[in-house]
């Protein structure tokens, strides 16, 4: 593997926050708020930034809007931490276009999701990812999230891609099958970057040799998510475990509805954004929002600590 990929592999570690896409009251992208959210992340120790992944509502945006979000993020980050935007789509050519755009704007890597809705077979998935990887020189992080795509990228397919494509350097596994993620490192090699996209598996994946997590919860509580990784890499296993369990209730609450609806509701309560999603996504029910607000109060994440009525 070339030195350029080895260098970024050493940097892409820890908590990589998949920053949400803020919309204003007219449902237009709020680029000022996006920059503020990224600064909030960096001020709280986040180790890397991603945008336009699942948490960024990419399927609710045009291709050009996705490029604009990536460009604004790249300008805001300005090389301070690694940047790995989501460039995948259900459309093959669009995925290549967005991945090439990520390279053009100086992204450190691109995160490419298994195509959703299409349900391609493993042979087709191999051809899709190989063609995308061959179209660019930047590293690729494959994004496997069978709960949203209705298709699992099998370990054997991923291992073949890792062997045949030097720039496929890792995978984000939003996969609750912990046997599967163990076999990823067994078959792809322990130097293959394994990121957790399942909040309750962020710590367990570190324990088997994972590189970190790409966790929606870090949008709301970036400091503790980053600290859990810092503690683990510093060898403070007890603190990492304690933070894992401390974050568990917040993780559960932020997934009481489809991501990123609860996260956006929480960030709205924290006065970070207008809590707006584009249809067909919408905010959680009032009952769920009451639970979110009380949880934020319990975690000392709200300045307004009035009890929920």
């Amino acid at each position: 593997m070339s030195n350029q990929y080895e260098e970024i592999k050493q940097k892409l570690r820890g908590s990589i926050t998949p920053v949400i896409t803020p919309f204003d009251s007219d449902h237009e992208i709020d680029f000022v708020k996006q920059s503020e959210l990224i600064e909030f992340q960096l001020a709280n120790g986040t180790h890397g930034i991603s945008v336009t992944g699942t948490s960024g509502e990419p399927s609710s945006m045009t291709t050009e809007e996705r490029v604009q979000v990536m460009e604004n993020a790249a300008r805001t980050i300005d090389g301070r931490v690694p940047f790995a935007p989501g460039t995948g789509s259900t459309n093959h050519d669009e995925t290549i276009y967005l991945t090439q755009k990520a390279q053009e704007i100086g992204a450190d890597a691109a995160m490419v999701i298994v195509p959703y809705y299409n349900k391609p077979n493993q042979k087709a998935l191999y051809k899709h990812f190989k063609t995308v990887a061959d179209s660019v020189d930047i590293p690729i992080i494959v994004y496997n999230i069978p709960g949203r795509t209705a298709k699992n990228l099998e370990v054997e397919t991923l291992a073949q891609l890792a062997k045949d494509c030097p720039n496929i350097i890792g995978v984000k596994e939003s996969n609750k099958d912990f046997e599967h993620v163990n076999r990823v490192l067994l078959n792809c090699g322990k130097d293959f970057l394994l990121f957790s996209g399942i909040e309750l598996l962020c710590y367990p994946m570190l324990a088997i040799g994972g590189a970190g997590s790409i966790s929606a919860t870090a949008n709301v509580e970036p400091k503790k998510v980053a600290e859990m990784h810092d503690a683990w890499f510093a060898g403070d296993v007890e603190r990492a475990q304690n933070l894992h369990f401390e974050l568990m209730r917040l993780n559960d609450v932020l997934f009481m509805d489809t991501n990123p609806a609860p996260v956006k509701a929480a960030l709205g309560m924290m006065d970070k954004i207008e809590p707006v999603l584009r249809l067909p996504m919408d905010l959680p029910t009032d009952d769920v929002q009451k639970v979110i607000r009380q949880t934020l109060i319990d975690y000392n994440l709200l300045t307004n600590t009035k009890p929920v009525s």
Side-chain angles (χ1 to χ4, degrees), residues 171-182:
V171 62
K172 175 185 177 181
E173 282 284 357
S174 293
N175 195 325
K176 293 184 177 181
D177 184 349
F178 200 56
E179 289 188 13
H180 171 97
V181 298
N182 275 268

Side-chain angles (χ1 to χ4, degrees), residues 73-116:
R75 284 192 298 268
T76 304
I77 296 164
D78 194 26
R80 288 177 287 173
V81 295
F83 176 43
T87 59
S89 165
T90 193
N91 181 284
H92 177 71
D93 289 341
E94 182 181 51
T95 300
I96 290 175
Y97 172 77
L98 288 168
T99 306
Q100 290 175 339
K101 281 293 182 182
Q103 178 169 316
E104 287 178 21
I105 66 175
D108 297 285
M111 186 170 64
V112 182
I113 194 170
V114 170
Y116 38 92

Side-chain angles (χ1 to χ4, degrees), residues 11-31:
K11 293 180 179 178
L12 273 170
R13 304 274 170 169
S15 176
I16 314 296
T17 302
V19 177
I20 59 98
T21 303
F23 301 123
D24 63 22
S25 57
D26 294 322
H27 295 85
E28 298 296 324
I29 298 169
D30 191 331
F31 292 104

Side-chain angles (χ1 to χ4, degrees), residues 3-254:
N3 289 334
Q4 70 183 99
Y5 300 143
E6 286 293 348
E7 182 178 353
I8 192 58
K9 283 181 71 174
Q10 296 306 312
K11 293 180 179 178
L12 273 170
R13 304 274 170 169
S15 176
I16 314 296
T17 302
V19 177
I20 59 98
T21 303
F23 301 123
D24 63 22
S25 57
D26 294 322
H27 295 85
E28 298 296 324
I29 298 169
D30 191 331
F31 292 104
V32 173
K33 288 294 184 185
Q34 185 200 18
S35 295
E36 290 176 358
L37 289 173
I38 291 171
E39 293 295 348
F40 169 64
Q41 290 293 321
L42 300 186
N44 281 279
T46 290
H47 305 108
I49 297 292
S50 181
V51 296
T52 61
T54 303
S55 299
E57 296 174 79
S59 60
S60 297
M61 291 188 282
T62 66
T63 303
E64 187 53 38
E65 284 178 324
R66 291 183 65 174
V67 172
Q68 292 169 354
V69 168
M70 290 193 298
E71 289 174 337
N72 188 61
R75 284 192 298 268
T76 304
I77 296 164
D78 194 26
R80 288 177 287 173
V81 295
F83 176 43
T87 59
S89 165
T90 193
N91 181 284
H92 177 71
D93 289 341
E94 182 181 51
T95 300
I96 290 175
Y97 172 77
L98 288 168
T99 306
Q100 290 175 339
K101 281 293 182 182
Q103 178 169 316
E104 287 178 21
I105 66 175
D108 297 285
M111 186 170 64
V112 182
I113 194 170
V114 170
Y116 38 92
Y117 183 76
N118 293 327
K119 297 181 69 175
N121 62 31
Q122 297 299 307
K123 178 182 177 182
L125 286 173
Y126 173 87
K127 291 171 69 175
H128 170 71
F129 281 108
K130 187 174 189 308
T131 305
V132 173
D134 288 347
S135 74
V136 293
D137 294 324
I138 60 171
I140 299 294
I141 299 170
V142 175
Y143 180 12
N144 189 31
I145 179 168
R148 300 285 282 248
T149 65
K151 196 71 178 181
N152 187 45
L153 182 68
E154 300 296 343
V155 171
E156 294 77 12
T157 308
L158 181 60
Q160 193 64 49
L161 284 164
K163 178 182 177 182
D164 296 344
C165 305
N167 59 332
I168 293 183
I169 64 168
V171 62
K172 175 185 177 181
E173 282 284 357
S174 293
N175 195 325
K176 293 184 177 181
D177 184 349
F178 200 56
E179 289 188 13
H180 171 97
V181 298
N182 275 268
R183 296 187 188 283
V184 166
L185 290 184
L186 177 67
N187 288 272
C188 296
K190 291 178 67 177
D191 65 338
F192 195 70
L193 301 184
L194 173 65
F195 294 95
S196 176
I198 298 291
E199 276 61 25
L200 296 191
L201 294 182
C202 290
Y203 172 76
M205 283 200 198
L206 290 173
I208 64 168
S213 68
I214 305 175
S215 162
T217 299
N219 277 282
V220 176
E221 178 57 295
K223 185 176 177 62
K224 287 184 178 177
V225 175
E227 285 179 352
M228 184 187 73
H229 292 80
D230 290 336
W232 172 260
F233 290 124
D236 191 345
V237 174
E238 183 178 4
R239 173 150 176 76
Q241 289 176 339
N242 288 342
L243 285 164
H244 164 70
F245 287 108
E246 184 178 337
L247 286 163
M248 191 174 291
R249 181 177 163 224
L250 180 62
N251 289 331
D252 288 343
V253 167
L254 292 178

